Structure formats: structure tokens, C-alpha cells
Short mmCIF file of all heavy atoms in Angstrom, two decimals:
data_model
loop_
_atom_site.label_atom_id
_atom_site.label_comp_id
_atom_site.label_asym_id
_atom_site.label_seq_id
_atom_site.Cartn_x
_atom_site.Cartn_y
_atom_site.Cartn_z
N ALA A 1 83.19 114.38 -24.45
CA ALA A 1 83.00 113.06 -23.85
C ALA A 1 83.39 113.07 -22.38
O ALA A 1 83.94 112.11 -21.86
CB ALA A 1 83.80 112.01 -24.61
N ILE A 2 83.09 114.14 -21.68
CA ILE A 2 83.42 114.23 -20.26
C ILE A 2 82.41 113.43 -19.44
O ILE A 2 81.23 113.34 -19.80
CB ILE A 2 83.46 115.69 -19.80
CG1 ILE A 2 84.26 115.85 -18.50
CG2 ILE A 2 82.06 116.28 -19.67
CD1 ILE A 2 84.61 117.28 -18.16
N THR A 3 82.87 112.82 -18.35
CA THR A 3 81.99 112.08 -17.46
C THR A 3 82.28 112.43 -16.01
O THR A 3 83.42 112.70 -15.64
CB THR A 3 82.15 110.55 -17.64
OG1 THR A 3 83.52 110.19 -17.48
CG2 THR A 3 81.67 110.09 -19.01
N ASN A 4 81.21 112.44 -15.21
CA ASN A 4 81.35 112.58 -13.76
C ASN A 4 82.12 113.82 -13.33
O ASN A 4 82.81 113.81 -12.31
CB ASN A 4 82.00 111.32 -13.18
CG ASN A 4 81.56 111.03 -11.77
OD1 ASN A 4 80.39 111.14 -11.44
ND2 ASN A 4 82.51 110.65 -10.92
N PHE A 5 82.02 114.87 -14.16
CA PHE A 5 82.71 116.14 -13.89
C PHE A 5 84.22 115.98 -13.84
O PHE A 5 84.93 116.89 -13.44
CB PHE A 5 82.22 116.79 -12.60
CG PHE A 5 80.74 116.93 -12.50
CD1 PHE A 5 80.03 116.27 -11.51
CD2 PHE A 5 80.04 117.72 -13.40
CE1 PHE A 5 78.65 116.39 -11.42
CE2 PHE A 5 78.66 117.84 -13.33
CZ PHE A 5 77.96 117.18 -12.33
N GLN A 6 84.74 114.80 -14.22
CA GLN A 6 86.17 114.51 -14.25
C GLN A 6 86.80 114.60 -12.86
O GLN A 6 87.98 114.93 -12.72
CB GLN A 6 86.89 115.45 -15.22
CG GLN A 6 88.21 114.94 -15.77
CD GLN A 6 88.87 115.94 -16.70
OE1 GLN A 6 88.23 116.50 -17.58
NE2 GLN A 6 90.15 116.19 -16.49
N VAL A 7 86.03 114.27 -11.82
CA VAL A 7 86.55 114.42 -10.47
C VAL A 7 86.49 113.11 -9.70
O VAL A 7 85.69 112.22 -9.99
CB VAL A 7 85.78 115.51 -9.67
CG1 VAL A 7 85.91 116.86 -10.34
CG2 VAL A 7 84.33 115.12 -9.46
N VAL A 8 87.37 113.02 -8.71
CA VAL A 8 87.38 111.93 -7.74
C VAL A 8 87.34 112.56 -6.36
O VAL A 8 88.02 113.56 -6.09
CB VAL A 8 88.65 111.06 -7.89
CG1 VAL A 8 88.77 110.07 -6.73
CG2 VAL A 8 88.64 110.31 -9.22
N THR A 9 86.53 111.98 -5.47
CA THR A 9 86.51 112.42 -4.07
C THR A 9 87.37 111.46 -3.26
O THR A 9 87.18 110.24 -3.31
CB THR A 9 85.08 112.44 -3.52
OG1 THR A 9 84.30 113.38 -4.28
CG2 THR A 9 85.08 112.87 -2.06
N PHE A 10 88.33 112.03 -2.55
CA PHE A 10 89.24 111.24 -1.73
C PHE A 10 88.84 111.40 -0.26
O PHE A 10 88.62 112.51 0.23
CB PHE A 10 90.68 111.70 -1.93
CG PHE A 10 91.17 111.55 -3.34
CD1 PHE A 10 91.10 112.62 -4.24
CD2 PHE A 10 91.68 110.34 -3.79
CE1 PHE A 10 91.54 112.49 -5.55
CE2 PHE A 10 92.12 110.20 -5.10
CZ PHE A 10 92.05 111.27 -5.98
N TYR A 11 88.77 110.27 0.44
CA TYR A 11 88.41 110.24 1.86
C TYR A 11 89.65 109.84 2.66
O TYR A 11 90.33 108.88 2.31
CB TYR A 11 87.29 109.24 2.11
CG TYR A 11 85.98 109.62 1.43
CD1 TYR A 11 85.76 109.32 0.09
CD2 TYR A 11 84.98 110.28 2.14
CE1 TYR A 11 84.57 109.67 -0.53
CE2 TYR A 11 83.79 110.63 1.53
CZ TYR A 11 83.58 110.33 0.20
OH TYR A 11 82.41 110.67 -0.43
N PHE A 12 89.90 110.58 3.75
CA PHE A 12 91.10 110.36 4.55
C PHE A 12 90.69 109.94 5.97
O PHE A 12 89.83 110.56 6.59
CB PHE A 12 91.94 111.64 4.63
CG PHE A 12 92.34 112.17 3.28
CD1 PHE A 12 91.51 113.02 2.58
CD2 PHE A 12 93.54 111.79 2.71
CE1 PHE A 12 91.87 113.51 1.33
CE2 PHE A 12 93.92 112.28 1.46
CZ PHE A 12 93.08 113.13 0.77
N TYR A 13 91.35 108.87 6.46
CA TYR A 13 91.09 108.36 7.80
C TYR A 13 92.42 108.01 8.47
O TYR A 13 93.32 107.48 7.81
CB TYR A 13 90.25 107.07 7.74
CG TYR A 13 88.97 107.18 6.96
CD1 TYR A 13 88.94 106.87 5.59
CD2 TYR A 13 87.79 107.58 7.59
CE1 TYR A 13 87.77 106.96 4.87
CE2 TYR A 13 86.60 107.67 6.86
CZ TYR A 13 86.60 107.36 5.51
OH TYR A 13 85.43 107.45 4.79
N PRO A 14 92.54 108.29 9.78
CA PRO A 14 93.75 107.81 10.49
C PRO A 14 93.78 106.28 10.49
O PRO A 14 92.76 105.63 10.76
CB PRO A 14 93.56 108.35 11.91
CG PRO A 14 92.54 109.43 11.80
CD PRO A 14 91.65 109.05 10.66
N ALA A 15 94.91 105.71 10.15
CA ALA A 15 95.04 104.25 10.15
C ALA A 15 95.11 103.73 11.58
O ALA A 15 95.42 104.48 12.52
CB ALA A 15 96.28 103.83 9.36
N GLU A 16 94.84 102.45 11.72
CA GLU A 16 94.80 101.84 13.05
C GLU A 16 96.16 101.87 13.74
O GLU A 16 96.23 101.83 14.97
CB GLU A 16 94.29 100.41 12.95
CG GLU A 16 92.83 100.32 12.54
CD GLU A 16 92.34 98.88 12.48
OE1 GLU A 16 93.17 97.98 12.74
OE2 GLU A 16 91.16 98.66 12.18
N ASP A 17 97.25 101.96 12.96
CA ASP A 17 98.58 101.94 13.58
C ASP A 17 98.95 103.27 14.23
O ASP A 17 99.99 103.41 14.87
CB ASP A 17 99.65 101.51 12.58
CG ASP A 17 99.77 102.47 11.39
OD1 ASP A 17 99.19 103.59 11.44
OD2 ASP A 17 100.44 102.10 10.41
N GLY A 18 98.09 104.32 14.01
CA GLY A 18 98.34 105.61 14.63
C GLY A 18 99.40 106.44 13.95
O GLY A 18 99.68 107.56 14.37
N ARG A 19 100.03 105.90 12.89
CA ARG A 19 101.10 106.63 12.19
C ARG A 19 100.71 107.00 10.76
O ARG A 19 101.08 108.07 10.27
CB ARG A 19 102.38 105.78 12.15
CG ARG A 19 102.96 105.46 13.51
CD ARG A 19 104.30 104.73 13.36
NE ARG A 19 104.21 103.54 12.53
CZ ARG A 19 103.81 102.34 12.97
NH1 ARG A 19 103.45 102.19 14.24
NH2 ARG A 19 103.77 101.30 12.17
N ASN A 20 100.02 106.12 10.09
CA ASN A 20 99.71 106.32 8.68
C ASN A 20 98.28 106.80 8.48
O ASN A 20 97.49 106.88 9.42
CB ASN A 20 99.93 105.01 7.93
CG ASN A 20 101.39 104.58 7.95
OD1 ASN A 20 102.26 105.31 7.51
ND2 ASN A 20 101.65 103.39 8.51
N VAL A 21 97.98 107.13 7.22
CA VAL A 21 96.66 107.63 6.84
C VAL A 21 96.09 106.73 5.75
O VAL A 21 96.79 106.41 4.79
CB VAL A 21 96.73 109.09 6.33
CG1 VAL A 21 95.34 109.59 5.92
CG2 VAL A 21 97.33 110.00 7.40
N ARG A 22 94.87 106.33 5.94
CA ARG A 22 94.19 105.50 4.94
C ARG A 22 93.43 106.42 3.99
O ARG A 22 92.72 107.32 4.42
CB ARG A 22 93.24 104.52 5.63
CG ARG A 22 92.55 103.53 4.70
CD ARG A 22 91.88 102.42 5.49
NE ARG A 22 90.85 102.93 6.38
CZ ARG A 22 89.55 103.01 6.04
NH1 ARG A 22 89.16 102.65 4.81
NH2 ARG A 22 88.67 103.46 6.91
N ILE A 23 93.58 106.16 2.67
CA ILE A 23 92.92 106.98 1.65
C ILE A 23 92.00 106.09 0.83
O ILE A 23 92.41 105.04 0.34
CB ILE A 23 93.95 107.67 0.73
CG1 ILE A 23 94.93 108.52 1.54
CG2 ILE A 23 93.23 108.54 -0.31
CD1 ILE A 23 96.03 109.14 0.71
N VAL A 24 90.76 106.53 0.67
CA VAL A 24 89.78 105.82 -0.15
C VAL A 24 89.33 106.76 -1.26
O VAL A 24 88.94 107.91 -0.99
CB VAL A 24 88.57 105.36 0.69
CG1 VAL A 24 87.54 104.66 -0.20
CG2 VAL A 24 89.02 104.46 1.82
N ALA A 25 89.37 106.29 -2.51
CA ALA A 25 88.96 107.10 -3.66
C ALA A 25 87.58 106.68 -4.13
O ALA A 25 87.25 105.49 -4.19
CB ALA A 25 89.97 106.93 -4.80
N ASP A 26 86.76 107.66 -4.48
CA ASP A 26 85.42 107.40 -5.02
C ASP A 26 85.17 108.33 -6.20
O ASP A 26 85.12 109.54 -6.03
CB ASP A 26 84.37 107.63 -3.94
CG ASP A 26 82.96 107.31 -4.42
OD1 ASP A 26 82.82 106.50 -5.35
OD2 ASP A 26 82.00 107.88 -3.86
N PRO A 27 85.04 107.76 -7.43
CA PRO A 27 85.10 106.33 -7.75
C PRO A 27 86.55 105.83 -7.76
O PRO A 27 87.47 106.61 -8.05
CB PRO A 27 84.49 106.26 -9.15
CG PRO A 27 84.77 107.60 -9.75
CD PRO A 27 84.69 108.58 -8.62
N PRO A 28 86.75 104.54 -7.50
CA PRO A 28 88.11 103.98 -7.48
C PRO A 28 88.57 103.63 -8.90
O PRO A 28 88.54 102.48 -9.31
CB PRO A 28 87.95 102.72 -6.61
CG PRO A 28 86.53 102.30 -6.84
CD PRO A 28 85.74 103.55 -7.06
N LEU A 29 89.00 104.63 -9.64
CA LEU A 29 89.40 104.41 -11.03
C LEU A 29 90.58 103.44 -11.08
O LEU A 29 91.61 103.67 -10.42
CB LEU A 29 89.77 105.74 -11.68
CG LEU A 29 88.69 106.83 -11.65
CD1 LEU A 29 89.21 108.11 -12.29
CD2 LEU A 29 87.42 106.36 -12.34
N PRO A 30 90.48 102.36 -11.85
CA PRO A 30 91.52 101.32 -11.78
C PRO A 30 92.89 101.78 -12.25
O PRO A 30 93.91 101.26 -11.78
CB PRO A 30 90.96 100.21 -12.69
CG PRO A 30 89.93 100.86 -13.53
CD PRO A 30 89.36 101.97 -12.73
N GLY A 31 92.95 102.75 -13.16
CA GLY A 31 94.25 103.19 -13.66
C GLY A 31 94.84 104.38 -12.94
O GLY A 31 95.89 104.91 -13.35
N LEU A 32 94.19 104.83 -11.87
CA LEU A 32 94.68 105.97 -11.12
C LEU A 32 95.46 105.49 -9.91
O LEU A 32 94.92 104.84 -9.01
CB LEU A 32 93.52 106.86 -10.66
CG LEU A 32 93.90 108.13 -9.91
CD1 LEU A 32 94.62 109.11 -10.83
CD2 LEU A 32 92.67 108.78 -9.28
N ARG A 33 96.77 105.78 -9.88
CA ARG A 33 97.62 105.38 -8.77
C ARG A 33 97.60 106.44 -7.67
O ARG A 33 97.58 107.64 -7.96
CB ARG A 33 99.06 105.17 -9.23
CG ARG A 33 99.25 104.01 -10.18
CD ARG A 33 100.73 103.86 -10.55
NE ARG A 33 101.57 103.66 -9.39
CZ ARG A 33 102.44 104.55 -8.92
NH1 ARG A 33 102.61 105.71 -9.53
NH2 ARG A 33 103.18 104.28 -7.85
N ILE A 34 97.61 106.00 -6.42
CA ILE A 34 97.67 106.91 -5.29
C ILE A 34 99.01 106.71 -4.57
O ILE A 34 99.31 105.62 -4.08
CB ILE A 34 96.51 106.65 -4.30
CG1 ILE A 34 95.17 106.94 -4.99
CG2 ILE A 34 96.67 107.52 -3.06
CD1 ILE A 34 93.97 106.66 -4.11
N ASP A 35 99.81 107.76 -4.57
CA ASP A 35 101.08 107.76 -3.85
C ASP A 35 100.83 108.44 -2.50
O ASP A 35 100.75 109.67 -2.41
CB ASP A 35 102.13 108.51 -4.67
CG ASP A 35 103.51 108.49 -4.03
OD1 ASP A 35 103.63 108.04 -2.86
OD2 ASP A 35 104.47 108.96 -4.67
N ASN A 36 100.70 107.64 -1.46
CA ASN A 36 100.32 108.14 -0.14
C ASN A 36 101.55 108.38 0.73
O ASN A 36 102.18 107.45 1.22
CB ASN A 36 99.39 107.12 0.53
CG ASN A 36 98.90 107.58 1.89
OD1 ASN A 36 99.25 108.66 2.37
ND2 ASN A 36 98.08 106.76 2.52
N ARG A 37 101.90 109.65 0.91
CA ARG A 37 103.04 110.02 1.74
C ARG A 37 102.61 110.69 3.04
O ARG A 37 103.42 111.29 3.75
CB ARG A 37 103.96 110.97 0.96
CG ARG A 37 104.41 110.40 -0.38
CD ARG A 37 105.23 111.41 -1.16
NE ARG A 37 105.53 110.93 -2.52
CZ ARG A 37 106.17 111.64 -3.45
NH1 ARG A 37 106.58 112.88 -3.16
NH2 ARG A 37 106.40 111.14 -4.65
N LEU A 38 101.31 110.63 3.35
CA LEU A 38 100.78 111.28 4.54
C LEU A 38 101.17 110.54 5.81
O LEU A 38 101.28 109.32 5.82
CB LEU A 38 99.25 111.34 4.45
CG LEU A 38 98.65 112.37 3.50
CD1 LEU A 38 97.17 112.09 3.29
CD2 LEU A 38 98.87 113.78 4.02
N ARG A 39 101.32 111.31 6.85
CA ARG A 39 101.56 110.76 8.18
C ARG A 39 100.65 111.46 9.18
O ARG A 39 100.33 112.64 9.04
CB ARG A 39 103.03 110.94 8.59
CG ARG A 39 104.00 110.12 7.77
CD ARG A 39 103.81 108.62 8.00
NE ARG A 39 104.74 107.82 7.19
CZ ARG A 39 104.45 107.32 6.00
NH1 ARG A 39 103.25 107.55 5.47
NH2 ARG A 39 105.33 106.60 5.35
N VAL A 40 100.25 110.71 10.20
CA VAL A 40 99.40 111.27 11.25
C VAL A 40 100.24 112.12 12.20
O VAL A 40 101.35 111.75 12.56
CB VAL A 40 98.68 110.14 12.04
CG1 VAL A 40 98.00 110.69 13.29
CG2 VAL A 40 97.67 109.44 11.14
N GLN A 41 99.69 113.25 12.59
CA GLN A 41 100.32 114.13 13.57
C GLN A 41 99.32 114.44 14.66
O GLN A 41 98.15 114.75 14.38
CB GLN A 41 100.79 115.43 12.91
CG GLN A 41 101.43 116.41 13.87
CD GLN A 41 101.99 117.62 13.14
OE1 GLN A 41 102.94 117.50 12.37
NE2 GLN A 41 101.38 118.77 13.36
N GLN A 42 99.71 114.38 15.89
CA GLN A 42 98.80 114.65 16.99
C GLN A 42 98.29 116.08 16.91
O GLN A 42 99.06 117.03 16.73
CB GLN A 42 99.52 114.43 18.34
CG GLN A 42 99.91 112.99 18.60
CD GLN A 42 98.70 112.08 18.64
OE1 GLN A 42 97.70 112.39 19.28
NE2 GLN A 42 98.78 110.95 17.94
N GLY A 43 96.98 116.21 17.03
CA GLY A 43 96.42 117.56 17.00
C GLY A 43 94.95 117.57 16.65
O GLY A 43 94.36 116.55 16.29
N ALA A 44 94.34 118.77 16.80
CA ALA A 44 92.93 118.96 16.50
C ALA A 44 92.68 118.94 15.00
O ALA A 44 93.60 119.18 14.19
CB ALA A 44 92.45 120.28 17.11
N CYS A 45 91.44 118.66 14.64
CA CYS A 45 91.07 118.57 13.22
C CYS A 45 90.83 119.95 12.66
O CYS A 45 89.70 120.38 12.42
CB CYS A 45 89.82 117.69 13.07
SG CYS A 45 89.46 117.26 11.36
N THR A 46 91.92 120.69 12.44
CA THR A 46 91.86 122.07 11.94
C THR A 46 92.97 122.26 10.91
O THR A 46 93.76 121.36 10.64
CB THR A 46 92.04 123.09 13.07
OG1 THR A 46 93.30 122.85 13.71
CG2 THR A 46 90.92 122.98 14.09
N GLY A 47 93.01 123.45 10.34
CA GLY A 47 94.07 123.79 9.40
C GLY A 47 93.65 123.66 7.96
O GLY A 47 92.71 122.92 7.62
#
């Protein structure tokens, strides 16, 4: 009874405050909690 390959795609964006990171889940499963401990660090989009 598997659906959707059992995966969620998470999208990451720098928040407007310049310190935090906004995370969007697709699909946004209602019972899946996201504990967001990410912080923005100055630098190129590498790594």
C-alpha cells in the first residue's frame, strides 16, 4: 500500500529577516512535523 514513493520534497529559501530559513514541504503531509533549526550564513550557494 505504498503511495508517492513514500517521499516528500523539501524546498529551502532564505527568510526575509536574513537570519532564518523558510522550509516548504511538498506534499504538505498534515501529520509530519518539521523541526527547523537552520540558520542563514553568508556565502555562495555551494557545499
